[in-house]
């Protein structure tokens, strides 16, 4: 119900997700989430890395119509690496090394900056930030990228944080993939409804088989 209300009341819908780790740590996106992720409902997809397979990347493309790859904004996760020889021969391909068998997927940058409404939005995998998950370190990244909002993966705790004049959004893991640094990981993703200088963040979390939804709003100062 919340999903349909968003589509009718707001402008751009942006899906935030990441840390799939398919097939190495998870078999698939949970069925309740799959039923919610309907093609052609979102205008943009932001992925924080660790997709795991070319099939999952293709799934992301299909959610925005299949051909609009420019609207799928991905960065490299900690288990994504560049295969330099393939990159030279095949216009930069990236290889997922986590599963042990190399799978060719498009190469993704370490960071990316996009414009959503009135907001400059930065995207980062998060594994590069030391200390891991440290807000002061993330604040330095946000200032270096000169963005209003920083979307960060790797950290399994999802949600929205306001810190030192900026906003930080953590989608968590879409599959609930296990993490050595976070206990009790619940599958989660975030949907943004962007209208000019206002953003409404809907955090979807799967807890004991039920989808829990929370909402946060913020505006550009």
């Amino acid at each position: 119900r919340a999903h349909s209300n968003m589509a009718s009341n707001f402008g751009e819908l942006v899906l935030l997700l990441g840390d799939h780790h398919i097939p190495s740590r998870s078999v698939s996106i949970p069925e309740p989430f799959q039923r919610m992720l309907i093609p052609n409902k979102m205008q943009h997809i932001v992925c924080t890395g660790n997709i795991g397979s070319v099939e999952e990347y293709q799934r992301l493309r299909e959610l925005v119509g299949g051909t609009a790859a420019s609207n799928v904004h991905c960065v490299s996760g900690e288990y994504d690496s560049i295969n330099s020889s393939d990159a030279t021969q095949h216009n930069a391909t990236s290889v997922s090394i986590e599963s042990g068998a190399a799978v060719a997927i498009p190469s993704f940058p370490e960071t990316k900056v996009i414009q959503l409404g009135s907001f400059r939005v930065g995207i980062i995998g998060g594994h590069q930030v030391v200390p891991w998950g440290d807000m002061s370190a993330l604040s330095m990244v946000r200032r270096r990228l000169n963005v209003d909002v920083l979307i960060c993966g790797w950290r399994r705790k999802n949600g929205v944080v306001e810190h030192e004049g900026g906003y930080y959004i953590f989608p968590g893991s879409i599959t609930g993939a296990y993490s050595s640094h976070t206990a009790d990981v619940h599958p989660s993703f975030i949907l943004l409804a962007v209208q000019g200088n206002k953003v409404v963040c809907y955090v979807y979390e799967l807890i004991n088989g039920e989808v829990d939804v929370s909402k946060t709003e913020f505006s550009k100062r």
Side-chain angles (χ1 to χ4, degrees), residues 22-23 50-58 96 103-105:
I22 296 174
N50 293 327
I51 297 176
S53 71
V54 67
E55 289 81 12
E56 291 305 312
Y57 174 69
Q58 292 292 68
S96 173
V103 178
I105 57 176

Side-chain angles (χ1 to χ4, degrees), residues 73-111:
H73 312 285
C74 298
V75 293
S76 178
E78 61 185 319
Y79 290 102
D80 301 322
S81 69
I82 299 298
N83 184 305
S84 58
S85 61
D86 283 352
T88 302
Q89 297 175 27
H90 303 295
N91 190 27
T93 59
S94 160
V95 174
S96 173
I97 60 174
E98 184 181 17
S99 62
V103 178
I105 57 176
S107 63
F108 305 128
E110 288 283 304
T111 62

Side-chain angles (χ1 to χ4, degrees), residues 101-121:
V103 178
I105 57 176
S107 63
F108 305 128
E110 288 283 304
T111 62
K112 188 171 185 177
V113 175
I114 61 176
Q115 188 78 26
L116 295 175
S118 301
F119 296 84
R120 275 176 59 87
V121 178

Side-chain angles (χ1 to χ4, degrees), residues 155-177:
R155 174 174 154 171
R156 294 294 194 273
K157 182 65 177 176
N158 60 70
V160 182
V161 176
E162 183 178 2
H163 180 75
E164 294 185 352
Y167 294 96
Y168 302 80
I169 304 180
F170 304 94
S173 168
I174 184 71
T175 59

Side-chain angles (χ1 to χ4, degrees), residues 2 5-6 9-16 119 160 169 190-204 213-220:
N5 288 341
M6 285 185 291
N9 293 339
F10 293 93
E12 290 183 295
L13 293 182
V14 185
L15 174 65
L16 314 183
F119 296 84
V160 182
I169 304 180
I190 292 178
L191 195 62
L192 304 183
V194 183
Q195 193 171 45
N197 64 350
K198 179 182 178 182
V199 174
V200 183
C201 306
Y202 294 85
V203 180
Y204 293 82
V213 186
S214 59
K215 183 176 80 169
T216 302
E217 299 183 23
F218 60 85
S219 299
K220 189 170 183 179

Side-chain angles (χ1 to χ4, degrees), residues 129 131-143 150 155 161-164 166-170:
V129 178
W132 291 331
D134 181 75
M135 292 307 302
S136 295
L138 286 170
S139 182
M140 292 178 63
V141 174
R142 185 185 67 82
R143 290 194 295 269
L150 185 66
R155 174 174 154 171
V161 176
E162 183 178 2
H163 180 75
E164 294 185 352
Y167 294 96
Y168 302 80
I169 304 180
F170 304 94

